[in-house]
């Protein structure tokens, strides 16, 4: 994955999250949807669920990379674009990429 | 279609074209019920018996010692539970903590019925302690069930030595040989075990067909009642295409055991030595020089998640298994990996090569593993 890590930075410059994209919180309904897409499994076991998260993270990564920026403002547009990730609480924070 | 690398042959194998060709008539025009007393059925009955006699000749046992089932799991269930039901006076069972779920969960079920279960100690390589077997076996031991070639580690148990100990105490010996059949020709007359389970889809045969060898003098109760098929041990209209496929798959394999083992051993050795030189890994199970399933490697990758590595490899069309298991609502470590106290248990990947992989593929595969590992390590 070209994105090694992402950091979420608040208005004061404090890092409130740092880690793999897949470590961000993904929406339950998105995980379930991905699980249905991948396995047609409405009630995924934890292994299927983990795989679904990796799948969603991979899709999110493609999208983020296509924006061609190393730092992104988490605004309404980005929240809508990355709908599978619970980003609303980070509104007006910045998403910084550590790219390989 | 993009090329993929199937490094998961311990999970299942692709059906061989010759196997499929042999099966096709029974999925199309030769559809008769083998119990029917007309040409369409009688010919199928004859073909089933011919296939079974041929399998018996390959395994060196009697035709009437073979029972077809719907899977290896069903064969194991029939062996263990069927034997327990027939011999209710003995209430102790011996097994290991590294069995396949088919064995473990059948025995756990019997435990709920009041059976006392002893789990034998295994060492860090997955070898069962014979001393522990000797100390735990007694006159109340009903049955001992052991996996011959471990599906996660590749450890091959010395079942010949176990057979002697078990029979000295008058207990029955069931062996799960689902993995081993793919790697070792069987001579059941020499092995002298009482029951042995097999499966078709691990040997490039079809899914949905299993086989239980049961020595003539061993008595079991059927678990499925009905029309009395398979010498009354497993009722249900025969899966004739599956039976024919099993026979064909075993026939093809029988001529290739030596070459296959050499090839898979060379692949595993090349892969292991190349990857060990560049990545911090630990080989679980026996060393490469010990008794192990050819082509099967259980590797612990330090500092990463096996599940994530599997995901990354899948994106590169490299298909492997992990040492992970579902533990209620968290990803846990498989019972086998746990039992041997493997290093970096969360980073376990099982690679099981097949004959379509070549030595020329190894550098590419090693490179792909390294890239995937580096990506994860830097996360």
């Amino acid at each position: 994955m070209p994105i090694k890590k992402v950091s979420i930075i608040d208005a004061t410059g404090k890092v409130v999250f740092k880690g793999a994209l897949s470590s961000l919180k993904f929406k339950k309904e998105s995980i379930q949807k991905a699980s249905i897409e991948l396995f047609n499994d409405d009630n995924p076991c934890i292994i299927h669920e983990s795989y679904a998260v990796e799948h969603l993270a991979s899709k999110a990564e493609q999208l983020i990379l296509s924006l061609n920026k190393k730092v992104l403002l988490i605004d309404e547009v980005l929240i809508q674009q990355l709908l599978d990730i619970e980003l609303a609480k980070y509104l007006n924070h910045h998403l910084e990429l550590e790219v390989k | 279609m993009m090329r993929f690398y199937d490094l998961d042959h311990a999970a299942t194998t692709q059906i061989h074209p010759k196997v499929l060709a042999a099966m096709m008539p029974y999925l199309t025009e030769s559809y008769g019920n083998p119990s029917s007393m007309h040409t369409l059925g009688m010919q199928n009955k004859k073909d089933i018996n011919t296939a079974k006699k041929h399998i018996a000749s390959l395994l060196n046992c009697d035709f009437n010692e073979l029972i077809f089932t719907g899977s290896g799991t069903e064969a194991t269930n029939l062996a263990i539970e069927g034997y327990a039901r027939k011999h209710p006076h003995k209430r102790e069972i011996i097994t290991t903590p590294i069995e396949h779920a088919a064995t473990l969960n059948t025995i756990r079920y019997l435990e709920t019925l009041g059976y006392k279960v002893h789990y034998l100690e295994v060492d860090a390589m997955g070898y069962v302690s014979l001393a522990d077997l000797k100390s735990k076996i007694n006159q109340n031991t009903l049955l001992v069930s052991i996996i011959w070639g471990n599906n996660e580690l590749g450890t091959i148990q010395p079942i010949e030595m176990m057979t002697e100990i078990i029979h000295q105490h008058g207990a029955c010996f069931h062996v799960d040989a689902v993995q081993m059949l793919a790697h070792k020709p069987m001579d059941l007359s020499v092995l002298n075990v009482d029951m042995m389970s097999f499966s078709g889809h691990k040997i490039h045969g079809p899914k949905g067909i299993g086989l239980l060898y049961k020595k003539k003098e061993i008595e079991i109760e059927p678990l499925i009642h009905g029309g009395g098929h398979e010498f009354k041990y497993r009722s249900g209209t025969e899966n004739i295409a599956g039976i024919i496929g099993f026979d064909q798959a075993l026939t093809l394999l029988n001529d290739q055991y030596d070459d296959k083992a050499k090839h898979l051993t060379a692949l595993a050795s090349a892969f292991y030595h190349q990857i060990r030189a560049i990545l911090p890994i630990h080989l679980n199970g026996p060393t490469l020089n010990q008794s192990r399933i050819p082509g099967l490697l259980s590797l612990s990758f330090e500092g990463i998640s096996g599940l994530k590595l599997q995901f990354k490899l899948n994106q590169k069309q490299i298909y492997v298994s992990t040492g992970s298991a579902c533990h209620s609502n968290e990803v846990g470590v498989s019972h086998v990996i746990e039992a041997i106290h493997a290093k970096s248990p969360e980073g376990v990947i099982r690679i099981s090569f097949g004959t379509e992989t070549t030595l020329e593929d190894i550098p590419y595969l090693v490179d792909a593993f390294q890239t995937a590992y580096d990506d994860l390590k830097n996360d």
Side-chain angles (χ1 to χ4, degrees):
Chain A
M1 190 185 282
I3 297 179
K4 283 202 289 191
K5 272 180 193 155
V6 295
S7 299
I8 295 177
I9 301 154
D10 71 10
T12 67
K14 188 179 162 196
V15 176
V16 294
F17 172 88
K18 187 169 184 177
L21 200 53
S22 60
S23 300
L24 280 167
K25 194 162 184 194
F26 284 75
K27 289 177 185 165
K28 265 199 158 169
E29 58 269 29
S30 296
I31 295 171
Q32 194 182 31
K33 208 174 147 193
S35 173
I36 290 169
E37 182 192 334
L38 292 165
F39 309 108
N40 200 9
D41 186 352
D42 301 67
N43 188 19
C45 69
I46 188 69
I47 286 183
H48 280 186
E49 205 173 285
S50 306
Y51 198 91
V53 167
E54 291 297 328
H55 176 72
L56 292 171
S58 178
K59 273 170 61 178
E61 183 197 31
Q62 297 308 313
L63 195 141
I64 292 169
L65 290 172
S66 74
L67 300 174
N68 249 334
K69 287 181 184 170
K70 282 194 87 173
V71 181
L72 299 154
L73 174 67
I74 303 176
D75 56 10
E76 292 292 353
V77 177
L78 190 70
I79 290 169
Q80 282 306 309
Q81 284 177 314
L82 299 173
L83 208 53
D84 297 324
I85 307 174
E86 289 195 350
L87 276 184
K89 64 180 174 184
Y90 300 124
L91 184 66
N92 294 327
H93 289 38
H94 282 89
L95 182 72
E96 197 174 287
L97 314 181
E98 204 178 309
V99 182
K100 197 177 169 187
Chain B
M1 192 180 171
M2 194 171 176
R3 174 161 188 201
F4 63 83
Y5 295 87
D6 178 1
L7 311 186
D8 200 16
H9 284 72
T12 194
T13 57
Q14 186 179 21
I15 198 161
H16 192 288
K18 285 184 181 170
V19 172
L20 182 62
M23 291 168 67
M24 280 309 282
Y26 303 96
L27 296 167
T28 51
E29 69 269 21
S30 301
Y31 62 87
N33 186 325
S35 297
S36 296
M37 295 306 288
H38 51 65
T39 304
L40 211 52
M42 287 156 61
Q43 183 60 47
N44 280 359
K45 185 69 175 179
K46 190 177 173 186
D47 292 349
I48 286 175
N49 287 338
T50 303
K52 196 185 258 194
K53 283 180 180 173
H54 188 243
I55 293 170
S57 74
L58 295 176
L59 300 177
N60 209 1
C61 65
D62 273 1
F63 150 81
N64 55 13
E65 293 178 316
L66 295 176
I67 304 161
F68 285 114
T69 62
S71 61
T73 290
E74 190 192 323
T76 293
N77 271 258
L78 178 57
I80 298 171
E81 193 182 335
Y83 191 78
R85 284 194 197 178
K86 192 73 182 179
H87 303 86
H89 54 288
K90 285 189 175 184
R91 308 288 287 179
E92 292 188 26
I93 295 172
I94 296 176
T95 190
T96 80
I98 58 168
E99 296 302 304
H100 186 274
T103 298
L104 279 184
N105 288 330
T106 304
I107 289 176
R108 279 180 193 144
Y109 166 69
L110 292 175
E111 213 168 359
T112 67
L113 302 182
Y115 284 82
K116 186 175 178 186
V117 181
H118 302 277
Y119 295 92
L120 298 176
E121 289 167 13
V122 293
D123 67 17
M125 290 178 181
Y127 287 110
V128 171
S129 162
L130 294 180
D132 199 32
L133 172 61
K134 283 177 191 164
S135 77
K136 283 175 175 152
I137 197 162
N138 63 71
Q139 296 309 309
N140 295 320
T141 305
L142 169 78
L143 170 124
V144 180
S145 186
I146 306 276
I147 188 165
W148 193 357
N150 189 274
N151 54 312
E152 290 194 43
L153 303 171
T155 313
I156 296 176
Q157 305 295 345
I159 62 159
E160 295 87 346
M161 292 159 87
M162 293 173 173
T163 306
E164 210 181 314
I165 299 166
I166 293 161
H167 286 166
Q168 280 166 356
H169 290 82
C172 174
F173 190 20
H174 166 253
V175 173
D176 170 358
V178 166
Q179 292 291 336
M180 277 302 272
L181 186 63
H183 301 285
K184 186 179 165 62
M186 306 276 158
D187 186 339
L188 288 164
S189 71
V190 173
L191 287 171
N192 196 28
V193 301
D194 299 304
M195 293 188 279
M196 195 175 262
S197 305
F198 306 105
S199 174
H201 73 104
K202 308 287 190 189
I203 59 167
H204 296 278
K207 294 169 181 64
I209 188 76
L211 182 66
L212 177 66
Y213 159 75
K214 179 190 74 63
K215 217 187 247 175
K216 238 175 288 176
E217 55 270 32
I218 295 293
E219 293 184 355
I220 57 171
E221 278 292 316
L223 304 183
I224 297 173
H225 303 275
H229 307 80
E230 295 301 298
F231 312 117
K232 299 187 178 165
Y233 292 118
R234 203 280 187 180
S235 287
T237 301
E238 296 91 336
N239 172 5
I240 180 160
I243 292 167
I244 299 298
F246 192 114
D247 178 32
Q248 184 66 31
L250 190 58
T251 303
L252 291 168
L253 179 59
N254 205 52
D255 296 331
Q256 297 165 1
Y257 274 118
D258 283 350
D259 290 345
K260 182 181 174 184
K262 276 182 201 149
H263 181 63
L264 297 186
T265 300
L267 289 174
S269 174
F271 182 86
Y272 175 66
H273 287 109
Q274 287 182 39
I275 203 154
R276 193 182 61 164
I278 53 170
L279 291 179
I281 56 155
H282 174 77
L283 176 66
N284 301 312
T287 64
L288 293 187
N289 300 324
Q290 287 177 296
S291 185
R292 57 163 36 251
I293 291 179
L296 193 152
L297 296 170
S298 169
L299 300 175
S300 286
F301 288 79
E302 272 179 33
I304 58 157
S305 146
L307 268 181
K308 286 180 187 251
L309 182 57
Q310 181 190 40
F311 182 85
K312 293 232 168 266
L313 293 168
N314 183 54
Q315 289 180 316
K316 298 168 191 283
Q317 282 76 45
I318 297 170
Y319 305 148
V320 298
S321 278
T322 66
S324 306
C326 290
H327 289 171
S328 57
N329 60 355
E330 62 174 20
V331 178
V333 172
S334 92
H335 63 282
V336 176
I337 297 304
E338 210 163 55
I340 61 159
H341 308 291
K343 287 181 186 164
S344 308
E346 67 294 331
V348 172
I349 288 284
R350 180 190 69 185
I351 294 157
S352 43
F353 288 104
T355 49
E356 76 286 349
T357 300
T358 65
L359 278 170
E360 288 71 42
D361 292 326
I362 297 298
Y364 169 79
L365 292 169
V366 170
D367 186 54
F369 269 75
Q370 184 180 19
T371 310
Y373 178 86
D374 288 346
D375 279 350
L376 289 170
K377 194 64 188 165
N378 291 328
D379 270 356

